[in-house]
Amino acid sequence: MLRYIAQRILAAIPVMGFVALFVFLLLRLSPGDPAAIIAGDAATPEQLEAIRERLGLNEPIYTQFFDWVSRLLQGDFGTSILSGTPVIDMIMGRLEPTVSLALTTIVLAILIAVPLGVIAAWKHGTLIDRLVMAISVLGFSVPVFVIAYVMIQVFAMNLKWLPVQGFKSIFDGVGPFAERIALPTLTLTLLYIALIARITRTSMLEVMGEDYVRTARAKGLREGRVLMRHALRNCAVPIVTVIGIGFALIISGVVVTESVFNLPGIGRLTVDAVLARDYPVIQAVILLASLVYVVINLLIDIAYVLLDPRIRYA
């Protein structure tokens, strides 16, 4: 297992290198000039040239790339072109809202979606099964921003139960934190409930007809124990896979939700950086998202061994 983990970590190095090269070239070769954004519309050509010289934008592309990579290897993600703040400080300052939203979303989605998928498989073909599948289709079909505005209209505008925007740290109190995170969490949870419930139902249906499930029922075991201990346990691998992928997607894809609910997280930081063509910030955020995918995929592979003893890694 340790050898496999070491191999996966080594294999991630060229992947991250390719991502870094792709992102760098994509940003540098796309239209737009950060110097013009910084200087404003009234800037003279001399002022624009001075800004480009100061930022190193006049250097050849390959020189800019190798300078950036060498700083990365030293733990330096660069400095924001617009604010002059170290990029790592900007990311760390925006990390808590995004991580909080991701964790609350995935935990709530698991607590709701897995039981729903199990019940749908158990009651296959009944009204309950069709209702769960209808919820899944609805969750996949409706855009996130539409769900967000419906949540705001119902729970904030009509019922006045929850605030619309903003974020409170959990260190400022669980109550204020829960009030602010509730609406964005519910918005994203509907999407991931649809995903996890559908995979859980499909996986459960595949194992419900297996011999070990029929044997467990023949022994007179309670239906709940048959479903949870024998059926669900043996179809846990695909469920864990989709949960892990879902968590990675949440971390890297909260742009719309954070924008709607005005959460000062990584998503908002990404939007602001893209609009301002702040190269160092964009590059760092994309590399961070790629690293999250690599780490989560590694954790999923390790979980396979714990869930299914038949799986072995050389």
Side-chain angles (χ1 to χ4, degrees), residues 27-255:
L27 292 175
R28 291 305 193 279
L29 299 178
S30 57
D33 186 0
I37 297 176
I38 295 173
D41 297 333
T44 64
E46 292 77 13
Q47 291 173 326
L48 292 176
E49 187 65 23
I51 293 174
R52 293 191 191 101
E53 185 69 27
R54 175 170 58 85
L55 298 177
L57 298 177
N58 286 335
E59 298 289 336
I61 290 182
Y62 64 87
T63 302
Q64 296 182 43
F65 176 72
F66 284 114
D67 287 344
W68 175 57
V69 171
S70 64
R71 291 195 302 269
L72 280 180
L73 295 176
Q74 300 173 24
D76 181 9
F77 286 86
T79 302
S80 170
I81 291 177
L82 292 182
S83 66
T85 306
V87 174
I88 189 64
D89 292 341
M90 297 177 67
I91 291 176
M92 294 304 296
R94 301 290 192 101
L95 201 58
E96 185 185 357
T98 299
V99 173
S100 299
L101 178 58
L103 289 176
T104 53
T105 297
I106 203 67
V107 169
L108 185 60
I110 292 171
L111 292 177
I112 297 175
V114 173
L116 279 180
V118 172
I119 294 172
W122 179 37
K123 299 293 185 180
H124 177 58
T126 65
L127 180 61
I128 295 177
D129 182 26
R130 294 191 184 96
L131 181 60
V132 172
M133 288 301 96
I135 294 174
S136 297
V137 172
L138 184 65
F140 279 123
S141 303
V142 181
V144 173
F145 69 89
V146 174
I147 299 175
Y149 286 124
V150 169
M151 290 288 184
I152 291 173
Q153 182 66 41
V154 173
F155 293 103
M157 307 297 292
N158 295 343
L159 299 177
K160 302 186 184 302
W161 287 354
L162 298 168
V164 177
Q165 297 179 330
F167 176 79
K168 288 288 186 180
S169 172
I170 194 171
F171 301 106
D172 295 333
V174 177
F177 168 78
E179 282 185 348
R180 297 288 179 174
I181 206 69
L183 282 182
T185 295
L186 289 174
T187 299
L188 279 180
T189 297
L190 288 178
L191 172 63
Y192 290 98
I193 283 177
L195 177 63
I196 298 172
R198 196 175 189 89
I199 295 297
T200 302
R201 174 185 177 272
T202 302
S203 302
M204 286 287 292
L205 288 176
E206 290 179 357
V207 302
M208 291 289 281
E210 296 290 338
D211 292 339
Y212 55 82
V213 174
R214 289 196 294 266
T215 301
R217 283 173 172 159
K219 289 180 178 179
L221 296 179
R222 290 179 301 176
E223 190 67 16
R225 187 173 182 183
V226 172
L227 291 173
M228 302 304 294
R229 184 171 180 178
H230 295 274
L232 182 60
R233 184 176 179 181
N234 284 278
C235 67
V237 168
I239 298 174
V240 168
T241 301
V242 76
I243 290 173
I245 295 173
F247 184 74
L249 290 174
I250 293 172
I251 286 288
S252 59
V254 294
V255 175

